[in-house]
Amino acid sequence: MRAIDVIQKKRDGNELEPDELREFVLAYSRDEVPDYQVSAFLMAVYFRGLSSAETVVLTQAMVDSGGTIDLSSLGRSAVDKHSTGGVGDKTSIALGPVVAACGVPFAKMSGRGLGHTGGTLDKLEAIPGFRIALGEDEFVSQVAGVGVAIVSQTPDLVPADARLYALRDVTATVDQNGLIAASIMSKKIAAGASAILLDVKVGTGAFMRTVDDARALAEAMIDLGARAGRQVKCEITDMAQPLGRAVGNGLEIREVVETLQGSGPPDLVELVMTSAKHLLAMSDLGVDEAEAEDRARAALASGAAYAAYEEWVVAQGGNPDPSVLPSAPILREVVADQTGYIADLDAMAIGVATVRLGAGRVHKQDVIDHGTGIVCHKKRGDAVDSGAVLADVHARTADAADETAAAVRAAYRLTDDAPEPSPLVLEFLS
Ligand code: URA
């Protein structure tokens, strides 16, 4: 395999042979192909695309670039969940304990946030003492004992993706469906769960801007999972506005606690319950979706899900008491300057404003402020009177609070008439 031949073939729109693509990826992860050649290859892929056969080969080569997690000692089928990322998306942190409380092992390896979307690990690190880096043995034994673990990926898991993703990030080649599908599915396959629920987000706050693009990505990932012997199902969900009310790490954990204690925002509760229904019906419990939903709702109502959350957080070294979560010193209210209805709340604008408050990172090495963020009290469809509080900004400084408050006000669009209701879960593919 000569790297230049692989680049040229893809540049000219030809399909690569399985062996040459596989060798190209593995050679890159052995440091035998330089970044500049892989950058050229990625740009060729961006414009020419990947066939489904090439996507399968790329995914398997990425899995084979490192180790895989063996969950067979559980003696059970573990479940996993992954979201393509959005603003205020704390679903997995509430979902894990619900599923565990229903007796199904939830084993998730997760990533950090970059850009306007938050990362599950950053949110979990807002919990004082919480350890995200568990060794493989500790990860598996926690899933066996407690029923839920969410940890950072071990460095040995799909190292080719870590390198390729970093390169894609700086060469404007992230948003290519084959590359995204291979990146996500290689990590899910290597992490060992046999049933995987994917949430592909669509809207201004998401990678995918149209339902058609989201569906194509979902279908590619379901196919990759099936070829690897995994059961994969996919929700396509709305990310035109933030999920729930809270955006920002400590604030989102507080909202998870409220959700598990029965007073969560309706959209977050709906997504957690829908996802729990799908995961339990995919699990080895052998229940249909109706029974799965009943069990998930019962776990929430009885307090069993919150008890599972406390046990899980303690197992990973954290303090589950929400009163110890970090907070920010300045609170600024954003108020409506007219009476009407919320027609739009721009998820991207809220995500970007949250990053500016220090709650997200622009560069990988940026340090996160776990106390800052935005709480959107009013969401699409809500009626408001002039002067009503739309949102709260939690900031470190008065200047940051003023600047963010203006950005948050601009993210809200009010109209005289109520907008058409729009669903949260747009499609479910299996
Ligand atoms: N998330 C991933 O893990 N990989 C991508 O390529 C895009 C989103």
Side-chain angles (χ1 to χ4, degrees):
M1 185 279 306
R2 286 198 328 146
I4 188 168
D5 297 335
V6 174
I7 298 165
Q8 188 171 341
K9 209 164 165 184
K10 186 41 73 185
R11 182 201 69 188
D12 294 343
N14 298 311
E15 181 156 0
L16 297 167
E17 295 298 329
D19 284 351
E20 59 188 347
L21 176 55
R22 178 179 171 79
E23 190 41 39
F24 182 80
V25 174
L26 292 177
Y28 177 53
S29 60
R30 290 193 302 265
D31 255 338
E32 292 166 14
V33 181
D35 281 354
Y36 53 80
Q37 283 190 303
V38 179
S39 302
F41 170 77
L42 290 170
M43 192 54 80
V45 169
Y46 183 86
F47 284 111
R48 294 294 189 175
L50 289 171
S51 68
S52 49
E54 287 173 323
T55 311
V56 170
V57 171
L58 173 62
T59 307
Q60 193 56 49
M62 284 163 66
V63 171
D64 294 342
S65 71
T68 54
I69 307 289
D70 181 4
L71 295 174
S72 60
S73 64
L74 294 174
R76 294 280 310 273
S77 301
V79 302
D80 190 359
K81 137 93 183 8
H82 181 84
S83 156
T84 56
V87 178
D89 186 8
K90 67 285 281 176
T91 311
S92 296
I93 304 173
L95 177 63
V98 172
V99 168
C102 294
V104 171
F106 186 90
K108 176 169 167 60
M109 293 201 161
S110 196
R112 293 193 179 279
L114 191 62
H116 70 280
T117 64
T120 298
L121 295 181
D122 298 320
K123 297 171 197 194
L124 287 171
E125 280 185 331
I127 302 171
F130 196 95
R131 286 190 308 130
I132 55 162
L134 303 189
E136 180 177 340
D137 290 349
E138 215 181 342
F139 173 63
V140 178
S141 69
Q142 188 180 303
V143 175
V146 179
V148 53
I150 302 183
V151 302
S152 55
Q153 272 172 222
T154 54
D156 183 40
L157 197 96
V158 199
D161 178 65
R163 296 198 55 192
L164 281 170
Y165 194 88
L167 209 50
R168 286 166 59 208
D169 202 32
V170 292
T171 56
T173 53
V174 168
D175 48 345
Q176 200 286 325
N177 262 10
L179 295 176
I180 297 176
S183 166
I184 292 175
M185 287 310 295
S186 59
K187 288 175 287 198
K188 293 288 109 183
I189 291 164
S194 40
I196 302 158
L197 178 67
L198 302 171
D199 178 0
V200 178
K201 302 264 180 221
V202 192
T204 62
F207 272 121
M208 298 289 133
R209 294 304 170 93
T210 69
V211 174
D212 284 348
D213 283 347
R215 195 182 302 113
L217 177 63
E219 283 167 354
M221 294 195 290
I222 290 170
D223 180 55
L224 289 172
R227 287 171 192 267
R230 311 300 165 90
Q231 193 192 169
V232 179
K233 298 191 178 185
C234 191
E235 297 162 349
I236 297 179
T237 67
D238 175 65
M239 188 31 74
Q241 66 174 347
L243 182 66
R245 299 187 191 103
V247 185
N249 304 286
L251 295 166
E252 292 193 45
I253 295 294
R254 199 164 282 127
E255 189 165 89
V256 164
V257 169
E258 285 161 14
T259 300
L260 293 172
Q261 290 180 335
S263 59
D267 58 344
L268 179 62
V269 174
E270 179 189 343
L271 192 54
V272 171
M273 287 297 106
T274 303
S275 302
K277 169 181 79 178
H278 290 142
L279 270 183
L280 295 179
M282 291 164 79
S283 76
D284 58 11
L285 288 180
V287 295
D288 64 14
E289 284 191 3
E291 172 68 16
E293 183 164 5
D294 285 349
R295 291 195 191 189
R297 289 199 183 279
L300 196 60
S302 69
Y306 183 61
Y309 170 82
E310 288 187 307
E311 191 185 353
W312 160 45
V313 169
V314 169
Q316 281 187 236
N319 184 343
D321 179 353
S323 70
V324 301
L325 286 166
S327 57
I330 313 276
L331 180 72
R332 185 81 78 243
E333 289 182 340
V334 179
V335 296
D337 42 25
Q338 69 180 88
T339 295
Y341 292 88
I342 310 296
D344 276 314
L345 171 56
D346 184 343
M348 173 63 100
I350 296 294
V352 169
T354 310
V355 173
R356 286 231 184 87
L357 286 170
R361 58 174 77 73
V362 179
H363 303 292
K364 269 201 173 127
Q365 64 280 8
D366 292 348
V367 176
I368 295 261
D369 185 331
H370 290 103
T372 57
I374 299 165
V375 178
C376 302
H377 295 292
K378 299 294 182 190
K379 302 278 301 278
R380 193 173 53 213
D382 286 345
V384 292
D385 290 328
S386 182
V389 176
L390 297 173
D392 288 330
V393 174
H394 296 249
R396 196 55 59 195
T397 65
D399 284 351
D402 291 342
E403 187 190 323
T404 308
V408 171
R409 177 60 193 90
Y412 276 94
R413 188 169 67 84
L414 275 71
T415 49
D416 292 338
D417 299 321
E420 289 293 313
S422 54
L424 174 63
V425 180
L426 303 167
E427 290 187 14
F428 181 58
L429 283 75
S430 55

